Amino acid sequence: MPREPDEVINKELSRINLHLPRQKKSLARLLEEENPSIKLRDGSEHHFKKSELEFLASLLEEEEKERLYIPIILEITTTWHGYFKVRGTLAVKVVEKILGTYDILEEKKELTLPRYLLPKIRRMLPTTTTYAFIMG
Amino acid sequence: MAEILNVKPTRMELLKLKKRIKLASKGHKLLKEKQDALIMEFFTIYDEALSLRRELNQKMVEAFDTLRMAEIDVGVSRIKEIALGVSPNKEVEIRRRNIMGVPVPLIEAESFKRSIEDRGYSFVSTSPSVDTAAQKFEEVLELAIRLAEVEETLKRLAREIEKTKRRVNALEYIIIPRMEATVKFIEQRLDEMERENFFRLKRIKAILEAKSA
């Protein structure tokens, strides 16, 4: 039976962010786990690569591992076409270190970057970053 | 021209439809963003798959060359005997990760390279060429597992891109145009009703004026 268009749209919109984590975990906690993973909103498990977590740990100070929550969310909003956003001081630090733009004197809470930089980040952090689609 | 929806041509319906168009346009934009992100992800992994495939092909050629050398060295039947004595390599555990709602495999395999003792065959009765061949095939195994993960991810992403594209197109070419056509129809109908009403009032006025004169 054909469904109402509104029903289809609402279902699509509610489905679009089901891959986001139910609860994030700190890097320090994930490094201690035998099988580092988190539960997603749709109930499934998302596993992290240990090598990737170790790489992230190498980018941060010892005490910062407790404060970086994984996965890092790359926000894509409809209002900023061609850009994406990263929020959180430590998440920004990690992203900037990967892109080679980190400046120790600047402490940014959020960062807006052009979308063509996404592959570089995703290539380095395929399991510890995730996308979030936000309706503007 | 797009078909119109089966609704009553009233102001209430017009307002409702305008709201629905707004929602559908937002949904369309968001899905398009998802589609773009999926395509970007696909090509990022595609580059990796391509280089892995190239590397694997090269390693295979090398591995089969060394195997041929080993066969020349110890003989085909002896190689088969040695192969029977080889102990199985490490097991591979397949986990799952999620890319924008697409569950893809995650294989975190450690090195498959083993020492001669771990392989299980007697190195006294074999030759170094057999060890070289075994080592080369272990390298091939490692790459093949990595490539399996990447290619399966690509396949699943491609399927999701196709699905998302179908939804985006449905919104862009069917659902939104149909709603817009309906809005246009209701607006025209309401305008027509207003004109009719205006004409009716004019007529009544003319009749009343004629009567009073």
Side-chain angles (χ1 to χ4, degrees):
Chain A
M1 198 181 139
R3 287 181 295 170
E4 277 286 304
D6 287 7
E7 198 188 318
V8 178
I9 298 161
N10 283 328
K11 201 181 164 200
E12 281 306 317
L13 295 182
S14 61
R15 221 178 67 100
I16 209 159
N17 280 325
L18 280 181
H19 62 280
L20 288 181
R22 226 175 247 181
Q23 200 178 12
K24 287 181 171 184
K25 282 183 188 173
S26 74
L27 177 61
R29 192 176 151 193
L30 285 169
L31 281 166
E32 282 167 12
E33 284 182 19
E34 180 72 20
N35 282 326
S37 66
I38 46 157
K39 236 191 171 82
L40 304 180
R41 285 184 190 176
D42 62 1
S44 65
E45 291 264 335
H46 173 82
H47 292 267
F48 298 106
K49 272 188 187 170
K50 273 193 173 169
S51 54
E52 220 177 294
L53 294 173
E54 278 154 16
F55 169 67
L56 274 179
S58 73
L59 298 176
L60 299 169
E61 305 292 322
E62 199 54 44
E63 48 90 29
E64 288 175 332
K65 289 179 202 164
E66 290 283 347
R67 291 190 290 122
L68 177 69
Y69 284 86
I70 305 287
I72 295 169
I73 295 186
L74 310 167
E75 292 178 17
I76 292 180
T77 64
T78 49
T79 41
W80 286 81
H81 184 73
Y83 291 88
F84 70 98
K85 224 176 223 184
V86 184
R87 283 178 211 266
T89 320
L90 289 174
V92 168
K93 183 180 174 179
V94 165
V95 169
E96 283 196 319
K97 276 200 168 180
I98 286 170
L99 298 174
T101 55
Y102 179 64
D103 182 359
I104 198 161
L105 299 173
E106 261 186 291
E107 198 177 77
K108 294 174 198 161
K109 281 193 173 153
E110 65 172 59
L111 187 66
T112 307
L113 292 165
R115 204 140 337 147
Y116 65 80
L117 292 172
L118 267 176
K120 196 172 179 186
I121 298 165
R122 290 288 295 162
R123 214 171 286 137
M124 301 288 274
L125 307 172
T127 62
T128 49
T129 54
T130 189
Y131 296 94
F133 298 96
I134 297 162
M135 193 141 67
Chain B
M1 194 177 150
E3 271 178 56
I4 59 164
L5 300 169
N6 187 19
V7 287
K8 283 176 192 154
T10 60
R11 279 193 197 283
M12 193 69 174
E13 280 298 337
L14 184 69
L15 288 173
K16 261 193 212 167
L17 260 175
K18 280 186 177 170
K19 249 189 205 170
R20 279 167 69 182
I21 290 177
K22 231 180 187 176
L23 176 76
S25 309
K26 275 185 181 174
H28 173 253
K29 261 191 188 173
L30 208 60
L31 276 176
K32 195 125 184 146
E33 295 287 356
K34 186 185 173 181
Q35 187 191 334
D36 290 350
L38 275 168
I39 291 171
M40 203 183 279
E41 193 74 27
F42 179 87
F43 280 107
T44 311
I45 299 170
Y46 178 73
D47 289 342
E48 197 185 341
L50 220 59
S51 66
L52 271 173
R53 171 64 71 183
R54 221 173 287 138
E55 204 182 332
L56 180 69
N57 285 344
Q58 197 192 327
K59 288 262 182 213
M60 290 274 264
V61 172
E62 283 172 25
F64 277 102
D65 280 346
T66 53
L67 179 67
R68 210 170 306 126
M69 291 307 287
E71 280 173 348
I72 294 166
D73 208 7
V74 295
V76 178
S77 54
R78 180 77 191 111
I79 284 280
K80 277 184 185 164
E81 265 173 48
I82 294 166
L84 286 173
V86 173
S87 55
N89 211 321
K90 280 172 206 155
E91 277 192 18
V92 177
E93 200 183 332
I94 302 173
R95 298 197 189 110
R96 261 175 31 153
R97 69 181 176 113
N98 203 304
I99 308 175
M100 288 173 262
V102 187
V104 296
L106 175 72
I107 307 172
E108 214 175 356
E110 286 163 33
S111 177
F112 286 95
K113 285 178 201 158
R114 297 183 289 183
S115 62
I116 301 166
E117 300 94 66
D118 291 340
R119 285 187 194 128
Y121 60 80
S122 151
F123 61 89
V124 181
S125 58
T126 57
S127 83
S129 57
V130 176
D131 302 335
T132 318
Q135 192 194 324
K136 287 281 177 196
F137 273 98
E138 280 164 0
E139 283 171 20
V140 166
L141 183 64
E142 211 171 298
L143 269 176
I145 287 169
R146 178 87 193 92
L147 187 66
E149 180 196 342
V150 171
E151 285 194 345
E152 182 58 31
T153 305
L154 270 185
K155 261 190 228 163
R156 292 189 188 185
L157 278 178
R159 239 175 277 146
E160 184 67 18
I161 289 171
E162 206 186 314
K163 258 197 248 170
T164 314
K165 198 177 166 190
R166 222 178 294 137
R167 286 175 189 138
V168 169
N169 285 347
L171 277 170
E172 194 173 339
Y173 298 110
I174 301 168
I175 299 172
I176 296 175
R178 203 173 275 175
M179 285 180 185
E180 280 169 347
T182 315
V183 164
K184 212 172 163 187
F185 163 75
I186 295 176
E187 276 172 350
Q188 280 173 350
R189 188 80 191 90
L190 288 174
D191 283 350
E192 187 59 37
M193 277 159 71
E194 204 166 314
R195 273 194 297 274
E196 271 174 22
N197 208 22
F198 182 71
F199 181 74
R200 200 178 300 124
L201 287 173
K202 279 281 229 189
R203 282 287 292 163
I204 292 168
K205 196 182 169 192
I207 292 166
L208 287 175
E209 274 173 1
K211 268 187 185 171
S212 63

